Amino acid sequence: MSNAQQENLPEAVPGYGGTVRAMHWIGALVVIAAWCVGISLDSFPRGPERTAVMGLHSTIGLVVFSLAVLRILWRIATPAPVQEGPVWLMAVARAGHTALYVLTLALPATGLLARWAKSGSASLIGGLSIPAPFPLPETKLFGEIHVTIANALAALVAVHVVAALFHHFVLRDATLRRMAPGRAR
Ligand code: HEM
Ligand code: HEM
């Protein structure tokens, strides 16, 4: 019997490193914040108030983008802990995680393109703005793509969360504990 069983503690599992876990949970909170501000945009009448909320949305979105880039670089440098399970299930999980990363990058990128195509620059908070680095035709296409990707990401995150809860409460395996906040195991 292992020490953990004797002491009635959960078995130590090979988890993600502390940095990956911190980036996962901070990243998740910031994506959700960007999404909440995004869906509230339409409830503000056009004018200075809406411009300010759009600036907040764009700023949070760019934080998401920067964190996602850091996270992907870190993740490439530090491989995920080995997960036991059928090969097909591991392939599905990997494809799902890759899709989460891709959509998390594509969403702020299309948001930025939408702002640039609409007004030639993206206003942020604190009077900052990012001018378009190249000319873009005035089109609503990027905004439409942005909204479609936002909905796709929301659906994928919902599946991701249900899968994590299914692992934890039904399969009772260590998947959620591997990513749980706290000390690296
Ligand atoms: C992960 C980051 C982001 C998330 C989760 C996100 C999410 C959203 C959501 C949910 C909407 C409302 C969609 C609807 O009307 O149903 C929206 C709209 C919008 N977002 Fe973002 N967004 C992000 C990043 C950005 C960035 C970085 C910018 C610009 C710099 C931006 C610009 C816009 C614009 C212009 C709209 C209005 C689009 C339209 O109605 O045509 N977004 N976003
Ligand atoms: C808020 C509820 C969330 C829960 C409960 C959750 C849970 C988890 C768990 C348990 C893992 C590890 C899976 C494994 O080891 O196979 C994981 C990985 C991951 N999660 Fe989440 N997550 C949440 C939100 C999010 C959000 C909002 C995003 C991004 C939009 C996200 C993106 C990812 C990615 C990309 C991975 C793969 C990590 C890697 O191997 O590089 N998660 N999540």
Side-chain angles (χ1 to χ4, degrees):
M1 195 185 276
S2 71
N3 284 346
Q5 281 169 321
Q6 279 168 354
E7 292 168 25
N8 211 15
L9 293 170
E11 284 283 351
V13 285
Y16 285 87
T19 310
V20 171
R21 281 191 268 155
M23 287 197 276
H24 173 269
W25 293 109
I26 294 169
L29 284 179
V30 190
V31 169
I32 293 167
W35 199 82
C36 291
V37 180
I39 53 165
S40 71
L41 278 169
D42 275 347
S43 52
F44 292 90
R46 285 186 191 284
E49 225 178 312
R50 177 147 167 185
T51 307
V53 179
M54 176 51 89
L56 178 65
H57 177 68
S58 305
T59 308
I60 303 175
L62 291 177
V63 171
V64 170
F65 186 84
S66 316
L67 273 178
V69 170
L70 276 180
R71 208 171 141 192
I72 290 167
L73 292 176
W74 192 275
R75 178 65 174 72
I76 292 169
T78 58
V82 178
Q83 170 82 300
E84 304 286 327
V87 175
W88 69 267
L89 190 59
M90 296 305 107
V92 170
R94 202 165 39 244
H97 292 159
T98 305
L100 282 169
Y101 281 129
V102 170
L103 295 185
T104 307
L105 290 177
L107 191 51
T110 49
L112 202 54
L113 288 169
R115 290 307 299 153
W116 285 341
K118 181 127 197 251
S119 50
S121 84
S123 302
L124 306 175
I125 54 173
L128 298 171
S129 70
I130 309 178
F134 38 76
L136 280 165
E138 215 186 302
T139 168
K140 290 190 167 169
L141 181 65
F142 297 120
E144 283 161 11
I145 297 175
H146 182 69
V147 173
T148 306
I149 296 179
N151 291 335
L153 181 62
L156 192 57
V157 167
V159 172
H160 177 68
V161 173
V162 169
L165 297 178
F166 186 79
H167 273 283
H168 193 71
F169 291 108
V170 180
L171 302 179
R172 292 175 177 274
D173 65 19
T175 305
L176 187 56
R177 274 191 285 140
R178 282 152 50 99
M179 189 53 105
R183 234 165 13 97
R185 279 152 271 236

